[in-house]
C-alpha cells in the first residue's frame, strides 16, 4: 500500500528527545472500502439475518427495524434493511455529518433526528418502538452485532497469511460503543496476538480507558470530539469482553491534534480517504508514549507487527477542510 513504508519509518522514530523508539511494522485493514464505507455493515447484516431466521422474514418486514447512530451503523442497517425489503427507522443526532445523513436516506430509511448523547438518542428510539412496534437492532450492544464485527479480525488474519507476512503481534481498533473492539478481541483471544483499543481523550471520550483504570464501566459520555463515531459510552456486553484481561491488552487515548496529525498522514502519504474516528488507532501508535514504550519493551530489537483497523471513511471534503482550516 502506498505510504506504508513511510508510516513504518515514522512509527519507529522517537517523537521527542528521550522518547520511546520502538521498531514497528504496520498493516492496515481498510474498512473504509467496505459497503457503505465502514465496518458496521458486517454487524448490521449478521444481526438482521439472525433476526429473520428467528422471527421469520414476514414478521420482521411487518414490524420493521430501528436503531440509533451518528452515521455508520445508520447507513449499514438502512442498507441491510433495503436488501431484504424491510422498513427501517433510523435515529440520528441532528449534528451528524451531512454525507452520513444523505447516505442513510439514500437507502430508503426513515430518518428521525435527536440530540447527540446516547441518552437522547435512546429516548427517541423508545418513542419509535412505542409508535411502530419496530425491532431494535443496537449499534453495538448485542451479541449478533459483535459477532459480525468480529469478522474484521478473521479476515485480517487470513489476509496477513495470504500475503505471507509474519503473524501479527498486535491489533488496534477504535473504541466507541465497543462492538468492533470486543468482536476483534474475542476472535484473537485464543491466539498470541494482543488486541488494543484506541479512544479520543477530548471531553472524557476515553471512557473505556478510564473505566478499565477505575475497575467499572463509565455509563455516560458527553463529548463533541472530532471522532464523531466514538462519542458513545462502551456498551454493557462489549464491556464484559473488553474488561477481560484475557481478551483485551489495554486501551490508550490521544488528543484531537494527534488524531488530525494521523489523519493528515493517511490522506497525504497513503492516499487513503478516512474519517477522524479511523485515524485514532494510528494516532495511538504514532504518538501515545505509553503504548510506544510498551512496544519497545515487549518487542525488543525485533519489534512488533501491528494491524491497524481503519474503521470507515464516511466524511466529506468540506468537513475535512473545516478540520484543517485556519
Amino acid at each position: 500500500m502506498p505510504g506504508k513504508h513511510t508510516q513504518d519509518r515514522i512509527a519507529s522514530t522517537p517523537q521527542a528527545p528521550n522518547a520511546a523508539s520502538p521498531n514497528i511494522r504496520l498493516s492496515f485493514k481498510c474498512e473504509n472500502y467496505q459497503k457503505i464505507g465502514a465496518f458496521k455493515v458486517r454487524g448490521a447484516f449478521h444481526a438482521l439475518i439472525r433476526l429473520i431466521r428467528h422471527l421469520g422474514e414476514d414478521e420482521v418486514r411487518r414490524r420493521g427495524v430501528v436503531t440509533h447512530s451518528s452515521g455508520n451503523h445508520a447507513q449499514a442497517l438502512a442498507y441491510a434493511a433495503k436488501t431484504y425489503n424491510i422498513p427501517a427507522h433510523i435515529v440520528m443526532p441532528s449534528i451528524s455529518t451531512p454525507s452520513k445523513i444523505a447516505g442513510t436516506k439514500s437507502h430508503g430509511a426513515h430518518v428521525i433526528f435527536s440530540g447527540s448523547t446516547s441518552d437522547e438518542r435512546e429516548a427517541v428510539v423508545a418513542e419509535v418502538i412505542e409508535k411502530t412496534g419496530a425491532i431494535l437492532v443496537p449499534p453495538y450492544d448485542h451479541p449478533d452485532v459483535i459477532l459480525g464485527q468480529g469478522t474484521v479480525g478473521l479476515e485480517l488474519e487470513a489476509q496477513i497469511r495470504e500475503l505471507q507476512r509474519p503473524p501479527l503481534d498486535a491489533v488496534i481498533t477504535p473504541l466507541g460503543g465497543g462492538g468492533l473492539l470486543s468482536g476483534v478481541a474475542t476472535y484473537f483471544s485464543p491466539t498470541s496476538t494482543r488486541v488494543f483499543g484506541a479512544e479520543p481523550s477530548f471531553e472524557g471520550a476515553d471512557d473505556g480507558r478510564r473505566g478499565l483504570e477505575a475497575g467499572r464501566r463509565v455509563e455516560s459520555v458527553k463529548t463533541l470530539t472530532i471522532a464523531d463515531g466514538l462519542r458513545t459510552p462502551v456498551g454493557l456486553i462489549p464491556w464484559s469482553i473488553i474488561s477481560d484481561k484475557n481478551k483485551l491488552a489495554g486501551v490508550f487515548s490521544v488528543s484531537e491534534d494527534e488524531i488530525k496529525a494521523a489523519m493528515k498522514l493517511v490522506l497525504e502519504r497513503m492516499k487513503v480517504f478516512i474519517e477522524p474516528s479511523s485515524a485514532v488507532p494510528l494516532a495511538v501508535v504514532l504518538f501515545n508514549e505509553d503504548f510506544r514504550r510498551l512496544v519497545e519493551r515487549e518487542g525488543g530489537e525485533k519489534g512488533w507487527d501491528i494491524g491497524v483497523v481503519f474503521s470507515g471513511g464516511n466524511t466529506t471534503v468540506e468537513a475535512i477542510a473545516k478540520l484543517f482550516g485556519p
Side-chain angles (χ1 to χ4, degrees), residues 76-130:
L77 185 60
Y79 178 60
K82 179 184 178 182
T83 301
Y84 289 95
N85 194 27
I86 292 168
H89 309 274
I90 311 294
V91 176
M92 301 184 73
S94 57
I95 61 171
S96 297
T97 303
S99 63
K100 293 182 179 181
I101 296 171
T104 303
K105 289 181 175 179
S106 74
H107 298 301
H110 175 217
V111 174
I112 309 104
F113 293 110
S114 71
S116 61
T117 69
S118 291
D119 288 344
E120 290 169 316
R121 301 181 199 183
E122 290 167 4
V124 178
V125 165
E127 293 175 7
V128 172
I129 292 173
E130 186 176 353

